[in-house]
Amino acid sequence: MYILLLDYLKPLSEIDALLPEHRDYLDRYYGDGTFVLSGRQVPRTGGAILARHVDRATIDRIVTEDPFARAGVARYRVVEVEPTRTAAGAGSVFG
């Protein structure tokens, strides 16, 4: 499992211009089950995505496909996590 942390490098106007393409990118990986959660950081300085069921090489490829990364408006930091405990009922999300 991976936590993908995005840090915005450019003004929000440049981020917002790419949001439709970024959402299409997210939809592609929600559709295949790789992404299970995503959202903006608060304050809005970046975002986060929770990903699963792929290896590190695949995650490294996936993050390069994000329009934010391709346009150089955001950078990714990938954190691999091996869950050892979950809340009751959360197993279906993290399994």
Side-chain angles (χ1 to χ4, degrees), residues 81-86:
V81 178
E82 186 176 317
T84 56
R85 295 182 71 177
T86 60

Side-chain angles (χ1 to χ4, degrees), residues 1 3 5-6 10-11 13 18 22-23 31 38 46 50-51 57 60 73 77 80 84-85 91 94:
M1 175 166 294
I3 301 169
L5 298 172
L6 290 84
K10 300 290 183 175
S13 60
L18 292 166
H22 175 71
R23 288 183 179 131
S38 61
L50 185 61
D60 289 341
V73 302
R77 186 163 48 108
E80 186 169 2
T84 56
R85 295 182 71 177
F94 299 106

Side-chain angles (χ1 to χ4, degrees), residues 3 5-7 9 25 31 35 40 50 57 60 66 74 80 89-90 93:
I3 301 169
L5 298 172
L6 290 84
D7 295 312
L9 303 173
Y25 158 80
F35 292 170
R40 295 175 175 169
L50 185 61
D60 289 341
D66 186 346
E80 186 169 2
V93 172

Side-chain angles (χ1 to χ4, degrees), residues 3-69:
I3 301 169
L4 313 177
L5 298 172
L6 290 84
D7 295 312
Y8 296 153
L9 303 173
K10 300 290 183 175
L12 289 177
S13 60
E14 293 185 47
I15 301 299
D16 290 342
L18 292 166
L19 272 176
E21 290 177 65
H22 175 71
R23 288 183 179 131
D24 289 344
Y25 158 80
L26 293 174
D27 288 346
R28 182 168 59 250
Y29 289 104
Y30 273 110
D32 75 3
T34 301
F35 292 170
V36 294
L37 176 148
S38 61
R40 295 175 175 169
Q41 294 183 31
V42 178
R44 192 174 170 207
T45 59
I49 301 168
L50 185 61
R52 64 180 182 174
H53 297 215
V54 294
D55 60 26
R56 179 59 189 250
T58 301
I59 278 295
D60 289 341
R61 178 187 51 77
I62 287 171
V63 299
T64 67
E65 296 173 7
D66 186 346
F68 287 170

